[in-house]
Amino acid sequence: EAKTVHEHLIGSFSPLKISIYNRILETYLKCGSTDDAFDVFEKMPRRNLTSWDTMITGLARNGLGEDALDLFSQFKQAGLKPDAKMFLGVFYSCGVVGDINEGMLHFSLMSSDYGIIPSMEHYVGVVDMLGSTGNLDEALEFIEKMPFEASADVWETLMNLCRAHGHLELGDRCAELVKLLDPSRLNEQSKAGLIPLKDSDLRKNEKKKLASQSPLEVRSRVNEYRAGDTSHPANDRIYALLRHLKEHMKEAGYVPETRFVLHDIDQESKEEALLAHSERLALANGLLTSPARGQIRIIKNLRVCGDCHAAFKIMSKIVGREIIMRDAKRFHHFSEGLCSCRDFW
């Protein structure tokens, strides 16, 4: 649909304003279509700061941190001057590639070379960059050296990253500071030492909260799946393909992580339950109905479970396809047995 709208705009309203081109870039990047975004970016007759910023941030959000940083280098080589917003995308990109040294260098150059005074948002971005790469002690040291008192945003960011990495003691210390600064930030989950689920992570429609769903784009249509769904017309073929793939996956080293099945059932039943996760049903039908070697796109309204993530990596290599999945947290580009998120999401 995005391509159809894009073609209509080009055919009916050329030449397009830069602001329209930027919206097209943003749309493709939010769809995970980075190749289409690159194509539009390269063909734009003119670009502004927003064009570059949209590309840098969008590529990083899709897990393509190296491409994002390469684009930032091209931006500077063209003699252009970054603004404060662009550095947020740069910090995120450095976190994606795990290069904290480059990230800290860019943070230093913000003020020394470009006269940009870091805001609290920039400090949050650096803490996220350090923490997401597992450098939690460095993140704490960075916060303690801030020229002003850290906000609740800063401590909440570090709190969640500590808990994601299993550094529970430091996470609890951060939670105490968040409580002092803004008690409303803590819900029952965060008080219990868990990574909190925000209201925005859930659909507002109460009925749609009841089941995990994965729409899959097939020839400009969208099919919807629920965990354990057996209502699809191709149900028998879908499950047969999943069982067939499971045997090949086990030969490649896949071991089902049945801890993600919360029901009290035997091991075999747990493995069968994993097969019925909505994203796997979506993937199987995509393999059955899309052109060979074509990309498969899946949108999931919850965070993908660890077992499905491991399975998708192996399946991408077995079937020779790129699988693009957007879950509640980020984009995952599975290809040749690897994921763009580097197993952190």
Side-chain angles (χ1 to χ4, degrees), residues 289-332:
T289 58
S290 61
R293 302 294 176 182
Q295 289 179 337
I296 293 178
R297 300 174 183 276
I298 297 171
I299 304 168
K300 183 171 173 64
N301 69 324
L302 301 174
R303 181 182 181 273
V304 62
C305 84
D307 183 74
C308 286
H309 192 271
F312 272 40
K313 286 198 298 182
I314 295 176
M315 281 192 273
S316 70
K317 189 169 187 177
I318 291 174
V319 301
R321 302 272 203 119
E322 182 184 10
I323 305 162
I324 301 172
M325 176 164 62
R326 189 186 77 199
D327 70 2
K329 295 296 179 185
R330 62 171 299 155
F331 274 100
H332 302 266

mmCIF file of all heavy atoms in Angstrom, residues 289-332:
data_model
loop_
_atom_site.group_PDB
_atom_site.id
_atom_site.type_symbol
_atom_site.label_atom_id
_atom_site.label_comp_id
_atom_site.label_asym_id
_atom_site.label_seq_id
_atom_site.Cartn_x
_atom_site.Cartn_y
_atom_site.Cartn_z
ATOM 1 N N THR A 289 2.638 -19.291 0.631
ATOM 2 C CA THR A 289 1.865 -18.463 -0.307
ATOM 3 C C THR A 289 2.659 -17.360 -0.996
ATOM 4 O O THR A 289 2.132 -16.712 -1.910
ATOM 5 C CB THR A 289 0.671 -17.809 0.423
ATOM 6 O OG1 THR A 289 1.169 -17.025 1.519
ATOM 7 C CG2 THR A 289 -0.300 -18.850 0.924
ATOM 8 N N SER A 290 3.891 -17.115 -0.579
ATOM 9 C CA SER A 290 4.662 -16.019 -1.182
ATOM 10 C C SER A 290 5.687 -16.571 -2.168
ATOM 11 O O SER A 290 6.047 -17.744 -2.109
ATOM 12 C CB SER A 290 5.356 -15.195 -0.093
ATOM 13 O OG SER A 290 6.264 -16.001 0.636
ATOM 14 N N PRO A 291 6.177 -15.717 -3.080
ATOM 15 C CA PRO A 291 7.149 -16.171 -4.081
ATOM 16 C C PRO A 291 8.429 -16.691 -3.436
ATOM 17 O O PRO A 291 8.848 -16.191 -2.382
ATOM 18 C CB PRO A 291 7.429 -14.895 -4.902
ATOM 19 C CG PRO A 291 6.276 -13.996 -4.634
ATOM 20 C CD PRO A 291 5.809 -14.296 -3.258
ATOM 21 N N ALA A 292 9.044 -17.686 -4.041
ATOM 22 C CA ALA A 292 10.292 -18.253 -3.526
ATOM 23 C C ALA A 292 11.339 -17.158 -3.414
ATOM 24 O O ALA A 292 11.467 -16.304 -4.282
ATOM 25 C CB ALA A 292 10.777 -19.359 -4.462
ATOM 26 N N ARG A 293 12.076 -17.177 -2.309
ATOM 27 C CA ARG A 293 13.141 -16.221 -2.013
ATOM 28 C C ARG A 293 12.636 -14.822 -1.681
ATOM 29 O O ARG A 293 13.422 -13.914 -1.433
ATOM 30 C CB ARG A 293 14.155 -16.121 -3.175
ATOM 31 C CG ARG A 293 14.811 -17.442 -3.532
ATOM 32 C CD ARG A 293 15.692 -17.934 -2.417
ATOM 33 N NE ARG A 293 16.262 -19.257 -2.708
ATOM 34 C CZ ARG A 293 17.039 -19.930 -1.864
ATOM 35 N NH1 ARG A 293 17.316 -19.405 -0.699
ATOM 36 N NH2 ARG A 293 17.503 -21.124 -2.175
ATOM 37 N N GLY A 294 11.321 -14.624 -1.685
ATOM 38 C CA GLY A 294 10.780 -13.300 -1.359
ATOM 39 C C GLY A 294 10.838 -13.032 0.134
ATOM 40 O O GLY A 294 10.856 -13.951 0.958
ATOM 41 N N GLN A 295 10.867 -11.757 0.498
ATOM 42 C CA GLN A 295 10.837 -11.381 1.910
ATOM 43 C C GLN A 295 9.484 -11.728 2.527
ATOM 44 O O GLN A 295 8.464 -11.735 1.846
ATOM 45 C CB GLN A 295 11.063 -9.872 2.068
ATOM 46 C CG GLN A 295 12.469 -9.408 1.762
ATOM 47 C CD GLN A 295 12.593 -7.898 1.920
ATOM 48 O OE1 GLN A 295 11.596 -7.173 1.837
ATOM 49 N NE2 GLN A 295 13.807 -7.420 2.146
ATOM 50 N N ILE A 296 9.515 -12.017 3.810
ATOM 51 C CA ILE A 296 8.273 -12.262 4.554
ATOM 52 C C ILE A 296 8.196 -11.229 5.676
ATOM 53 O O ILE A 296 9.161 -11.028 6.406
ATOM 54 C CB ILE A 296 8.252 -13.689 5.123
ATOM 55 C CG1 ILE A 296 8.171 -14.705 3.982
ATOM 56 C CG2 ILE A 296 7.077 -13.871 6.078
ATOM 57 C CD1 ILE A 296 8.181 -16.143 4.433
ATOM 58 N N ARG A 297 7.046 -10.572 5.783
ATOM 59 C CA ARG A 297 6.866 -9.515 6.781
ATOM 60 C C ARG A 297 5.783 -9.901 7.778
ATOM 61 O O ARG A 297 4.686 -10.282 7.382
ATOM 62 C CB ARG A 297 6.473 -8.196 6.102
ATOM 63 C CG ARG A 297 7.500 -7.710 5.116
ATOM 64 C CD ARG A 297 6.991 -6.484 4.361
ATOM 65 N NE ARG A 297 7.974 -6.095 3.370
ATOM 66 C CZ ARG A 297 9.026 -5.329 3.646
ATOM 67 N NH1 ARG A 297 9.191 -4.881 4.870
ATOM 68 N NH2 ARG A 297 9.900 -5.027 2.705
ATOM 69 N N ILE A 298 6.124 -9.784 9.046
ATOM 70 C CA ILE A 298 5.195 -10.144 10.118
ATOM 71 C C ILE A 298 5.145 -8.997 11.125
ATOM 72 O O ILE A 298 6.167 -8.413 11.458
ATOM 73 C CB ILE A 298 5.643 -11.440 10.817
ATOM 74 C CG1 ILE A 298 5.627 -12.611 9.824
ATOM 75 C CG2 ILE A 298 4.746 -11.762 12.015
ATOM 76 C CD1 ILE A 298 6.263 -13.881 10.353
ATOM 77 N N ILE A 299 3.949 -8.686 11.589
ATOM 78 C CA ILE A 299 3.760 -7.676 12.638
ATOM 79 C C ILE A 299 3.136 -8.379 13.838
ATOM 80 O O ILE A 299 2.103 -9.033 13.706
ATOM 81 C CB ILE A 299 2.831 -6.547 12.167
ATOM 82 C CG1 ILE A 299 3.360 -5.899 10.891
ATOM 83 C CG2 ILE A 299 2.670 -5.495 13.263
ATOM 84 C CD1 ILE A 299 2.348 -4.992 10.219
ATOM 85 N N LYS A 300 3.768 -8.253 14.990
ATOM 86 C CA LYS A 300 3.266 -8.919 16.202
ATOM 87 C C LYS A 300 2.954 -7.870 17.256
ATOM 88 O O LYS A 300 3.729 -6.940 17.452
ATOM 89 C CB LYS A 300 4.319 -9.904 16.724
ATOM 90 C CG LYS A 300 3.849 -10.699 17.933
ATOM 91 C CD LYS A 300 4.840 -11.802 18.274
ATOM 92 C CE LYS A 300 4.470 -12.484 19.586
ATOM 93 N NZ LYS A 300 3.175 -13.174 19.511
ATOM 94 N N ASN A 301 1.809 -8.035 17.941
ATOM 95 C CA ASN A 301 1.400 -6.999 18.888
ATOM 96 C C ASN A 301 1.990 -7.195 20.282
ATOM 97 O O ASN A 301 1.774 -6.382 21.167
ATOM 98 C CB ASN A 301 -0.131 -6.938 18.986
ATOM 99 C CG ASN A 301 -0.724 -8.169 19.656
ATOM 100 O OD1 ASN A 301 -0.238 -9.283 19.472
ATOM 101 N ND2 ASN A 301 -1.770 -7.981 20.430
ATOM 102 N N LEU A 302 2.755 -8.285 20.479
ATOM 103 C CA LEU A 302 3.443 -8.511 21.741
ATOM 104 C C LEU A 302 4.931 -8.700 21.464
ATOM 105 O O LEU A 302 5.357 -8.802 20.310
ATOM 106 C CB LEU A 302 2.895 -9.758 22.451
ATOM 107 C CG LEU A 302 1.397 -9.755 22.778
ATOM 108 C CD1 LEU A 302 0.997 -11.099 23.345
ATOM 109 C CD2 LEU A 302 1.067 -8.642 23.771
ATOM 110 N N ARG A 303 5.715 -8.776 22.511
ATOM 111 C CA ARG A 303 7.150 -9.039 22.362
ATOM 112 C C ARG A 303 7.331 -10.486 21.940
ATOM 113 O O ARG A 303 6.734 -11.392 22.515
ATOM 114 C CB ARG A 303 7.845 -8.776 23.693
ATOM 115 C CG ARG A 303 9.355 -8.994 23.697
ATOM 116 C CD ARG A 303 9.877 -8.734 25.102
ATOM 117 N NE ARG A 303 11.320 -8.893 25.195
ATOM 118 C CZ ARG A 303 11.927 -10.050 25.435
ATOM 119 N NH1 ARG A 303 11.214 -11.149 25.572
ATOM 120 N NH2 ARG A 303 13.247 -10.110 25.519
ATOM 121 N N VAL A 304 8.180 -10.729 20.932
ATOM 122 C CA VAL A 304 8.427 -12.092 20.472
ATOM 123 C C VAL A 304 9.116 -12.880 21.583
ATOM 124 O O VAL A 304 9.973 -12.363 22.290
ATOM 125 C CB VAL A 304 9.283 -12.092 19.186
ATOM 126 C CG1 VAL A 304 10.662 -11.465 19.438
ATOM 127 C CG2 VAL A 304 9.453 -13.501 18.648
ATOM 128 N N CYS A 305 8.715 -14.138 21.771
ATOM 129 C CA CYS A 305 9.314 -14.948 22.841
ATOM 130 C C CYS A 305 10.689 -15.438 22.407
ATOM 131 O O CYS A 305 11.021 -15.490 21.220
ATOM 132 C CB CYS A 305 8.412 -16.116 23.226
ATOM 133 S SG CYS A 305 8.581 -17.597 22.185
ATOM 134 N N GLY A 306 11.511 -15.809 23.379
ATOM 135 C CA GLY A 306 12.878 -16.224 23.103
ATOM 136 C C GLY A 306 12.970 -17.446 22.214
ATOM 137 O O GLY A 306 13.878 -17.559 21.375
ATOM 138 N N ASP A 307 12.030 -18.397 22.366
ATOM 139 C CA ASP A 307 12.086 -19.603 21.546
ATOM 140 C C ASP A 307 11.773 -19.293 20.084
ATOM 141 O O ASP A 307 12.449 -19.783 19.176
ATOM 142 C CB ASP A 307 11.108 -20.653 22.068
ATOM 143 C CG ASP A 307 11.199 -21.937 21.274
ATOM 144 O OD1 ASP A 307 12.188 -22.682 21.449
ATOM 145 O OD2 ASP A 307 10.308 -22.186 20.438
ATOM 146 N N CYS A 308 10.758 -18.474 19.847
ATOM 147 C CA CYS A 308 10.416 -18.111 18.469
ATOM 148 C C CYS A 308 11.548 -17.322 17.828
ATOM 149 O O CYS A 308 11.837 -17.468 16.636
ATOM 150 C CB CYS A 308 9.112 -17.308 18.423
ATOM 151 S SG CYS A 308 7.636 -18.327 18.699
ATOM 152 N N HIS A 309 12.201 -16.480 18.625
ATOM 153 C CA HIS A 309 13.319 -15.704 18.099
ATOM 154 C C HIS A 309 14.448 -16.633 17.648
ATOM 155 O O HIS A 309 15.011 -16.477 16.557
ATOM 156 C CB HIS A 309 13.825 -14.719 19.155
ATOM 157 C CG HIS A 309 14.773 -13.691 18.643
ATOM 158 N ND1 HIS A 309 16.134 -13.897 18.598
ATOM 159 C CD2 HIS A 309 14.562 -12.443 18.127
ATOM 160 C CE1 HIS A 309 16.721 -12.824 18.093
ATOM 161 N NE2 HIS A 309 15.794 -11.924 17.804
ATOM 162 N N ALA A 310 14.774 -17.614 18.478
ATOM 163 C CA ALA A 310 15.819 -18.574 18.122
ATOM 164 C C ALA A 310 15.407 -19.399 16.900
ATOM 165 O O ALA A 310 16.213 -19.670 16.005
ATOM 166 C CB ALA A 310 16.117 -19.488 19.311
ATOM 167 N N ALA A 311 14.123 -19.778 16.862
ATOM 168 C CA ALA A 311 13.618 -20.576 15.747
ATOM 169 C C ALA A 311 13.664 -19.800 14.440
ATOM 170 O O ALA A 311 14.039 -20.335 13.390
ATOM 171 C CB ALA A 311 12.191 -21.035 16.043
ATOM 172 N N PHE A 312 13.296 -18.523 14.485
ATOM 173 C CA PHE A 312 13.275 -17.710 13.272
ATOM 174 C C PHE A 312 14.678 -17.536 12.697
ATOM 175 O O PHE A 312 14.868 -17.488 11.484
ATOM 176 C CB PHE A 312 12.641 -16.343 13.551
ATOM 177 C CG PHE A 312 11.151 -16.328 13.381
ATOM 178 C CD1 PHE A 312 10.373 -17.389 13.812
ATOM 179 C CD2 PHE A 312 10.511 -15.255 12.788
ATOM 180 C CE1 PHE A 312 8.997 -17.388 13.664
ATOM 181 C CE2 PHE A 312 9.128 -15.239 12.625
ATOM 182 C CZ PHE A 312 8.380 -16.308 13.064
ATOM 183 N N LYS A 313 15.672 -17.413 13.569
ATOM 184 C CA LYS A 313 17.048 -17.283 13.083
ATOM 185 C C LYS A 313 17.443 -18.526 12.275
ATOM 186 O O LYS A 313 17.982 -18.421 11.168
ATOM 187 C CB LYS A 313 18.012 -17.090 14.257
ATOM 188 C CG LYS A 313 17.952 -15.712 14.888
ATOM 189 C CD LYS A 313 19.173 -15.416 15.731
ATOM 190 C CE LYS A 313 19.320 -16.382 16.889
ATOM 191 N NZ LYS A 313 20.493 -16.052 17.727
ATOM 192 N N ILE A 314 17.163 -19.696 12.837
ATOM 193 C CA ILE A 314 17.532 -20.938 12.162
ATOM 194 C C ILE A 314 16.708 -21.124 10.895
ATOM 195 O O ILE A 314 17.229 -21.510 9.839
ATOM 196 C CB ILE A 314 17.356 -22.134 13.113
ATOM 197 C CG1 ILE A 314 18.337 -22.012 14.288
ATOM 198 C CG2 ILE A 314 17.578 -23.454 12.380
ATOM 199 C CD1 ILE A 314 18.183 -23.080 15.339
ATOM 200 N N MET A 315 15.414 -20.823 10.968
ATOM 201 C CA MET A 315 14.549 -21.005 9.800
ATOM 202 C C MET A 315 14.946 -20.081 8.649
ATOM 203 O O MET A 315 14.846 -20.455 7.483
ATOM 204 C CB MET A 315 13.081 -20.787 10.176
ATOM 205 C CG MET A 315 12.452 -21.985 10.878
ATOM 206 S SD MET A 315 10.651 -21.873 10.998
ATOM 207 C CE MET A 315 10.481 -20.959 12.519
ATOM 208 N N SER A 316 15.410 -18.880 8.973
ATOM 209 C CA SER A 316 15.817 -17.966 7.903
ATOM 210 C C SER A 316 16.960 -18.568 7.087
ATOM 211 O O SER A 316 17.055 -18.349 5.876
ATOM 212 C CB SER A 316 16.247 -16.615 8.488
ATOM 213 O OG SER A 316 17.479 -16.711 9.187
ATOM 214 N N LYS A 317 17.809 -19.340 7.743
ATOM 215 C CA LYS A 317 18.929 -19.978 7.034
ATOM 216 C C LYS A 317 18.460 -21.209 6.267
ATOM 217 O O LYS A 317 18.869 -21.450 5.126
ATOM 218 C CB LYS A 317 20.017 -20.364 8.034
ATOM 219 C CG LYS A 317 21.305 -20.827 7.382
ATOM 220 C CD LYS A 317 22.428 -20.930 8.392
ATOM 221 C CE LYS A 317 23.747 -21.235 7.696
ATOM 222 N NZ LYS A 317 24.879 -21.266 8.650
ATOM 223 N N ILE A 318 17.568 -21.985 6.885
ATOM 224 C CA ILE A 318 17.085 -23.214 6.245
ATOM 225 C C ILE A 318 16.311 -22.906 4.966
ATOM 226 O O ILE A 318 16.510 -23.543 3.923
ATOM 227 C CB ILE A 318 16.206 -24.022 7.224
ATOM 228 C CG1 ILE A 318 17.071 -24.593 8.350
ATOM 229 C CG2 ILE A 318 15.482 -25.150 6.496
ATOM 230 C CD1 ILE A 318 16.264 -25.284 9.446
ATOM 231 N N VAL A 319 15.422 -21.912 5.034
ATOM 232 C CA VAL A 319 14.561 -21.625 3.875
ATOM 233 C C VAL A 319 15.170 -20.591 2.930
ATOM 234 O O VAL A 319 14.628 -20.337 1.855
ATOM 235 C CB VAL A 319 13.150 -21.153 4.326
ATOM 236 C CG1 VAL A 319 12.489 -22.210 5.190
ATOM 237 C CG2 VAL A 319 13.224 -19.814 5.072
ATOM 238 N N GLY A 320 16.286 -19.965 3.342
ATOM 239 C CA GLY A 320 16.925 -18.991 2.472
ATOM 240 C C GLY A 320 16.099 -17.746 2.245
ATOM 241 O O GLY A 320 16.093 -17.179 1.149
ATOM 242 N N ARG A 321 15.389 -17.302 3.267
ATOM 243 C CA ARG A 321 14.536 -16.109 3.160
ATOM 244 C C ARG A 321 14.949 -15.062 4.186
ATOM 245 O O ARG A 321 15.436 -15.405 5.271
ATOM 246 C CB ARG A 321 13.073 -16.462 3.450
ATOM 247 C CG ARG A 321 12.462 -17.515 2.560
ATOM 248 C CD ARG A 321 11.846 -16.919 1.312
ATOM 249 N NE ARG A 321 10.847 -17.822 0.775
ATOM 250 C CZ ARG A 321 9.559 -17.524 0.644
ATOM 251 N NH1 ARG A 321 9.112 -16.343 0.987
ATOM 252 N NH2 ARG A 321 8.721 -18.405 0.143
ATOM 253 N N GLU A 322 14.685 -13.799 3.866
ATOM 254 C CA GLU A 322 14.776 -12.762 4.892
ATOM 255 C C GLU A 322 13.392 -12.612 5.512
ATOM 256 O O GLU A 322 12.398 -12.470 4.809
ATOM 257 C CB GLU A 322 15.222 -11.420 4.308
ATOM 258 C CG GLU A 322 15.364 -10.354 5.400
ATOM 259 C CD GLU A 322 15.721 -8.977 4.873
ATOM 260 O OE1 GLU A 322 15.688 -8.779 3.641
ATOM 261 O OE2 GLU A 322 16.027 -8.098 5.697
ATOM 262 N N ILE A 323 13.346 -12.670 6.831
ATOM 263 C CA ILE A 323 12.091 -12.531 7.565
ATOM 264 C C ILE A 323 12.161 -11.228 8.350
ATOM 265 O O ILE A 323 13.065 -11.034 9.170
ATOM 266 C CB ILE A 323 11.875 -13.712 8.535
ATOM 267 C CG1 ILE A 323 11.946 -15.053 7.784
ATOM 268 C CG2 ILE A 323 10.533 -13.576 9.250
ATOM 269 C CD1 ILE A 323 12.171 -16.243 8.694
ATOM 270 N N ILE A 324 11.227 -10.326 8.089
ATOM 271 C CA ILE A 324 11.192 -9.043 8.786
ATOM 272 C C ILE A 324 10.004 -9.064 9.739
ATOM 273 O O ILE A 324 8.860 -9.177 9.309
ATOM 274 C CB ILE A 324 11.062 -7.874 7.797
ATOM 275 C CG1 ILE A 324 12.249 -7.875 6.816
ATOM 276 C CG2 ILE A 324 11.002 -6.539 8.548
ATOM 277 C CD1 ILE A 324 12.105 -6.867 5.697
ATOM 278 N N MET A 325 10.302 -8.985 11.027
ATOM 279 C CA MET A 325 9.223 -8.993 12.016
ATOM 280 C C MET A 325 9.317 -7.754 12.895
ATOM 281 O O MET A 325 10.387 -7.423 13.407
ATOM 282 C CB MET A 325 9.286 -10.243 12.896
ATOM 283 C CG MET A 325 8.228 -10.238 13.996
ATOM 284 S SD MET A 325 7.965 -11.856 14.743
ATOM 285 C CE MET A 325 9.579 -12.169 15.417
ATOM 286 N N ARG A 326 8.206 -7.085 13.058
ATOM 287 C CA ARG A 326 8.116 -5.971 13.993
ATOM 288 C C ARG A 326 7.291 -6.431 15.177
ATOM 289 O O ARG A 326 6.109 -6.750 15.035
ATOM 290 C CB ARG A 326 7.448 -4.767 13.321
ATOM 291 C CG ARG A 326 7.519 -3.491 14.181
ATOM 292 C CD ARG A 326 6.726 -2.368 13.549
ATOM 293 N NE ARG A 326 5.299 -2.548 13.772
ATOM 294 C CZ ARG A 326 4.350 -1.944 13.057
ATOM 295 N NH1 ARG A 326 4.670 -1.179 12.049
ATOM 296 N NH2 ARG A 326 3.078 -2.139 13.332
ATOM 297 N N ASP A 327 7.912 -6.504 16.364
ATOM 298 C CA ASP A 327 7.132 -6.861 17.547
ATOM 299 C C ASP A 327 6.846 -5.587 18.344
ATOM 300 O O ASP A 327 7.026 -4.473 17.842
ATOM 301 C CB ASP A 327 7.841 -7.944 18.377
ATOM 302 C CG ASP A 327 9.104 -7.448 19.083
ATOM 303 O OD1 ASP A 327 9.428 -6.235 18.975
ATOM 304 O OD2 ASP A 327 9.763 -8.274 19.742
ATOM 305 N N ALA A 328 6.396 -5.726 19.586
ATOM 306 C CA ALA A 328 6.001 -4.558 20.372
ATOM 307 C C ALA A 328 7.189 -3.692 20.764
ATOM 308 O O ALA A 328 7.001 -2.555 21.203
ATOM 309 C CB ALA A 328 5.248 -5.002 21.627
ATOM 310 N N LYS A 329 8.414 -4.230 20.607
ATOM 311 C CA LYS A 329 9.593 -3.507 21.060
ATOM 312 C C LYS A 329 10.457 -2.945 19.941
ATOM 313 O O LYS A 329 11.016 -1.867 20.076
ATOM 314 C CB LYS A 329 10.458 -4.433 21.937
ATOM 315 C CG LYS A 329 9.787 -4.859 23.234
ATOM 316 C CD LYS A 329 9.529 -3.665 24.133
ATOM 317 C CE LYS A 329 8.839 -4.063 25.433
ATOM 318 N NZ LYS A 329 8.480 -2.904 26.257
ATOM 319 N N ARG A 330 10.605 -3.690 18.827
ATOM 320 C CA ARG A 330 11.535 -3.250 17.794
ATOM 321 C C ARG A 330 11.372 -4.070 16.526
ATOM 322 O O ARG A 330 10.553 -4.984 16.471
ATOM 323 C CB ARG A 330 12.984 -3.380 18.303
ATOM 324 C CG ARG A 330 13.385 -4.808 18.634
ATOM 325 C CD ARG A 330 14.866 -4.917 18.926
ATOM 326 N NE ARG A 330 15.647 -4.507 17.771
ATOM 327 C CZ ARG A 330 16.882 -4.038 17.842
ATOM 328 N NH1 ARG A 330 17.467 -3.899 19.002
ATOM 329 N NH2 ARG A 330 17.530 -3.698 16.757
ATOM 330 N N PHE A 331 12.175 -3.760 15.510
ATOM 331 C CA PHE A 331 12.239 -4.561 14.294
ATOM 332 C C PHE A 331 13.253 -5.686 14.472
ATOM 333 O O PHE A 331 14.281 -5.518 15.129
ATOM 334 C CB PHE A 331 12.673 -3.711 13.095
ATOM 335 C CG PHE A 331 11.550 -3.004 12.403
ATOM 336 C CD1 PHE A 331 11.293 -1.673 12.646
ATOM 337 C CD2 PHE A 331 10.755 -3.681 11.492
ATOM 338 C CE1 PHE A 331 10.260 -1.012 12.005
ATOM 339 C CE2 PHE A 331 9.720 -3.036 10.834
ATOM 340 C CZ PHE A 331 9.475 -1.700 11.089
ATOM 341 N N HIS A 332 12.962 -6.822 13.863
ATOM 342 C CA HIS A 332 13.897 -7.943 13.785
ATOM 343 C C HIS A 332 14.036 -8.321 12.313
ATOM 344 O O HIS A 332 13.047 -8.682 11.677
ATOM 345 C CB HIS A 332 13.392 -9.150 14.571
ATOM 346 C CG HIS A 332 13.141 -8.883 16.018
ATOM 347 N ND1 HIS A 332 14.081 -9.115 17.000
ATOM 348 C CD2 HIS A 332 12.053 -8.385 16.661
ATOM 349 C CE1 HIS A 332 13.582 -8.783 18.178
ATOM 350 N NE2 HIS A 332 12.358 -8.335 18.000
#
